[in-house]
Amino acid sequence: MPELNLSTENVVTKNILNPVRLEGQTEQYIDLDKYPWPLSSDHFDKVIAENLLQRINDVLSIMGEIYRVSKQGAKIYIVVPWYSSSSAATDYRNVHLFNFTTFDFLLNELEKEGKKFKLIKIEAIPHKEFKWIPNFKIPFLTRRSRDILSTFIGEINQYVYAELETQK
């Protein structure tokens, strides 16, 4: 089950030469802003992109490459800072902001290009100090209580977690 880890906890510089970990191999450095990547098409069953999309100039192109190198039915795990959290605002390398609506827009744009992802799960990950706030469904709204409060109090949600599946 080949896995591609694109997480950026060890990024050398902004948008250049990201250490990519291929399961069972040592790190390999790839310029993620140069397309196509030097990786085989339809190869990976799992792709992890933690703290990556907010730092890349062209999110559509990087998602297109993730689609290309992933097999049919591959699981894609994405974590990005919530748009109003301090993690989004204080890191100078961040270029983009994300919330739930961002993923709706992104997946629609990719589908127009023939790159279809199924959204399996999307959730806001609260800051550890705000986990005590209940996150219940409000009957006439599509958003949950904690997500609505985070519009006014930025630090409630810290990250957006999205789980996708490639549809080829």
Side-chain angles (χ1 to χ4, degrees), residues 14 34 44 67-68 77 103 106-107 115 143 158 162:
K14 181 183 175 194
K34 272 191 184 170
F44 296 99
Y67 183 85
R68 181 185 68 80
Y77 302 96
F103 280 91
L106 177 62
L107 296 179
K115 299 163 184 147
R143 295 171 62 199
Q158 189 167 17

Side-chain angles (χ1 to χ4, degrees), residues 71-83:
K71 292 179 182 177
Q72 156 61 27
K75 299 287 191 238
I76 315 300
Y77 302 96
I78 298 171
V79 177
V80 288
W82 183 261
Y83 76 99

Side-chain angles (χ1 to χ4, degrees), residues 24 55 155 162:
R55 294 182 180 161
E155 283 302 303

